Amino acid sequence: MNTPLSEQRYDVAIIGAGVAGSYCAERLHSAGLNVCVIDKSRGTGGRASSKRLAANSSDQSVSQSCELGAPFFHLEDQQLASSIHRWLAACVIAPWPAADQHDQIAYTGTPTMSALTRHMIKGCDFYGNEKISIIESDHQGWRLLNESYQCRLWAKQLIITAPAAQSAVLLSGSDAPETWLLDAHRATLACSPQWASVVTLTDTCNTMMSPLELDCLKSLPSVIELDNEPIARIICDGDKPQRTPLQSRWVLQADQDWSQQHIDAEAQWVSEQLLSCFIVWLNKRQDYVFAAKDFSLLPAHRWRLGRHHAFLSADMALTADSNNRSKMSLDYRWSQSLGVAVAADWLGEGSVYAAMKSADNLVNAMLAST
Ligand SMILES: Cc1cc2nc3c(=O)[nH]c(=O)nc-3n(C[C@H](O)[C@H](O)[C@H](O)COP(=O)(O)OP(=O)(O)OC[C@H]3O[C@@H](n4cnc5c(N)ncnc54)[C@H](O)[C@@H]3O)c2cc1C
């Protein structure tokens, strides 16, 4: 029989330990609230998490991670500058100039992206491998239930930070305002899947590459945007700050339209397609002719709910006046009387920074009301 995760009654329960949920947790915990975070995955980070790769060196204690989701984020304005300074001081992020874009500084987690979300939730109780399927208000707080209808946690207030499609499941049938559910459905239609794969140069002793050719490989840019399907972006994972690459390794992010077309393909087939596109691209750039055998690859990761794009919310759709529309474009939802809120990237521009800003705006509103 499933027992509750905790007999504790929390001030705030947060569904989702991605960037938005972890950010809410950090701020609300600092404000003195008793906060817990619950996620269906084992660890934190969501779409900005790191995947552990098996150690492939003589030193088996060395394990390596790489990011198959967001590899970095940009400081898009100054709203979160003080949080950025705090995380820099805690050494859980570092600037990565190779990924700077226009006048926006890029940051990545150190030693991995997951370090940031782990740091943010460190004062709170975290429950991983726990999928919440139903949320129920008892008018004093919220009961979080699993798919067997067993209550796992109770909290006075609830914040949902799941992607739009998963938020819609939680919101449907709950006491939350109906327009939130409508918005989650609209945002789901503006969400694209994305495949991502990691390829590693196999033992260079077995290749015919000269040291010069190896140097040429190492001098490739760290972040490369491509127009050619199926690859949209190539990221040299080992070039990130504070990584100690034992091997040359690249993350290949597939184009979103291509990912949609091949959403039900086999993960191994997808990796092979991405690798052959990578090899064609590489071979155009230097003399050594690479072949598939020069690389090892893992089955690709499918992000079914990968990237959210802007959508027209229900309130905005009803407003003909474009001035009013921009005033109404709140990037969070909160009902103080019901004690429930939503914060996530899909209420903004679908980026790590948008997720953080949504969470920041929500927490500011919640704390201002107390
Ligand atoms: C391949 C890829 C590349 C990207 N590149 C970039 C980039 O370069 N720059 C950038 O800024 N952004 C990038 N993004 C987007 C970025 O990753 C997201 O915008 C951001 O991480 C979203 O954070 P979030 O907290 O809103 O949601 P998520 O990270 O999705 O977190 C939500 C969490 O909720 C959990 N959850 C969902 N449903 C339940 C449930 N029922 N019960 C319990 N837990 C649940 C999930 O497991 C997840 O951990 C990329 C995304 C992908 C997929």
Side-chain angles (χ1 to χ4, degrees):
M1 195 189 92
N2 268 356
T3 49
L5 289 174
S6 168
E7 297 296 338
Q8 255 194 78
R9 294 163 79 83
Y10 290 95
D11 294 325
V12 186
I14 300 169
I15 300 178
V19 173
S22 304
Y23 186 94
C24 291
E26 182 181 46
R27 292 276 318 276
L28 293 171
H29 171 72
S30 306
L33 296 170
N34 183 15
V35 180
C36 73
V37 184
I38 186 161
D39 201 294
K40 65 185 176 59
S41 300
R42 192 172 60 88
T44 67
R47 281 170 284 155
S49 58
S50 313
K51 183 182 170 66
R52 187 163 295 171
L53 305 169
N56 188 11
S57 80
S58 50
D59 178 0
Q60 290 299 306
S61 65
V62 180
S63 77
Q64 297 193 71
S65 301
C66 77
E67 275 95 37
L68 292 175
F72 46 74
F73 63 94
H74 291 103
L75 182 62
E76 292 169 16
D77 56 33
Q78 288 307 305
Q79 179 173 334
L80 297 183
S82 61
S83 297
I84 298 282
H85 287 135
R86 234 183 23 254
W87 299 329
L88 284 169
C91 300
V92 289
I93 60 167
W96 192 25
D100 286 354
Q101 172 178 286
H102 313 299
D103 53 351
Q104 295 175 357
I105 298 177
Y107 294 93
T108 187
T110 48
T112 62
M113 279 295 275
S114 294
L116 173 59
T117 43
R118 269 202 303 274
H119 170 79
M120 289 198 276
I121 67 160
K122 73 174 185 295
C124 310
D125 289 342
F126 172 64
Y127 303 105
N129 281 332
E130 279 291 338
K131 182 175 174 189
I132 298 303
S133 299
I134 300 156
I135 53 168
E136 229 175 45
S137 162
D138 62 10
H139 304 292
Q140 295 183 340
W142 287 84
R143 286 154 35 91
L144 278 57
L145 299 100
N146 64 14
E147 62 186 357
S148 311
Y149 212 73
Q150 280 155 334
C151 179
R152 307 297 281 144
L153 282 173
W154 184 94
K156 267 189 237 157
Q157 301 195 69
L158 170 65
I159 303 176
I160 300 168
T161 69
Q166 292 162 340
S167 294
V169 172
L170 292 166
L171 290 168
S172 65
S174 79
D175 287 351
E178 229 169 77
T179 49
W180 298 10
L181 176 60
L182 208 56
D183 285 344
H185 281 309
R186 284 169 182 259
T188 302
L189 296 175
C191 180
S192 312
Q194 192 164 11
W195 282 102
S197 186
V198 55
V199 299
T200 306
L201 190 64
T202 44
D203 192 349
T204 46
C205 306
N206 294 334
T207 73
M208 305 298 284
M209 251 183 290
S210 70
L212 202 68
E213 283 154 343
L214 262 176
D215 279 351
C216 166
L217 204 54
K218 285 186 182 139
S219 68
L220 291 174
S222 305
V223 180
I224 301 144
E225 308 274 350
L226 295 185
D227 278 337
N228 296 346
E229 291 181 358
I231 296 182
R233 188 158 64 173
I234 301 169
I235 299 127
C236 184
D237 202 73
D239 283 357
K240 289 179 184 165
Q242 295 183 32
R243 311 276 161 125
T244 43
L246 299 177
Q247 299 147 311
S248 299
R249 191 171 60 225
W250 294 267
V251 171
L252 311 177
Q253 291 181 352
D255 174 79
Q256 291 172 43
D257 291 337
W258 186 91
S259 299
Q260 181 67 66
Q261 278 164 31
H262 299 283
I263 184 67
D264 292 318
E266 289 287 324
Q268 185 63 28
W269 179 85
V270 171
S271 297
E272 285 161 14
Q273 300 304 304
L274 296 179
L275 176 59
S276 51
C277 173
F278 178 56
I279 289 173
V280 168
W281 177 83
L282 260 185
N283 288 347
K284 277 191 202 145
R285 295 181 62 104
Q286 37 80 61
D287 295 335
Y288 184 84
V289 179
F290 283 97
K293 65 173 173 44
D294 295 321
F295 298 91
S296 61
L297 76 173
L298 293 176
H301 183 84
R302 174 178 28 217
W303 297 97
R304 276 199 189 273
L305 308 172
R307 307 301 293 266
H308 281 287
H309 306 284
F311 73 101
L312 198 59
S313 72
D315 284 346
M316 283 159 76
L318 291 172
T319 311
D321 177 353
S322 59
N323 283 337
N324 271 342
R325 273 190 184 173
S326 60
K327 276 187 229 148
M328 294 177 80
S329 60
L330 262 192
D331 64 358
Y332 65 91
R333 302 289 181 269
W334 179 45
S335 164
Q336 187 172 7
S337 55
L338 295 172
V340 64
V342 182
D345 68 333
W346 57 271
L347 288 162
E349 298 294 320
S351 65
V352 168
Y353 196 71
M356 289 173 176
K357 257 175 77 162
S358 167
D360 189 57
N361 289 329
L362 168 66
V363 171
N364 289 343
M366 288 173 81
L367 296 179
S369 76
T370 52

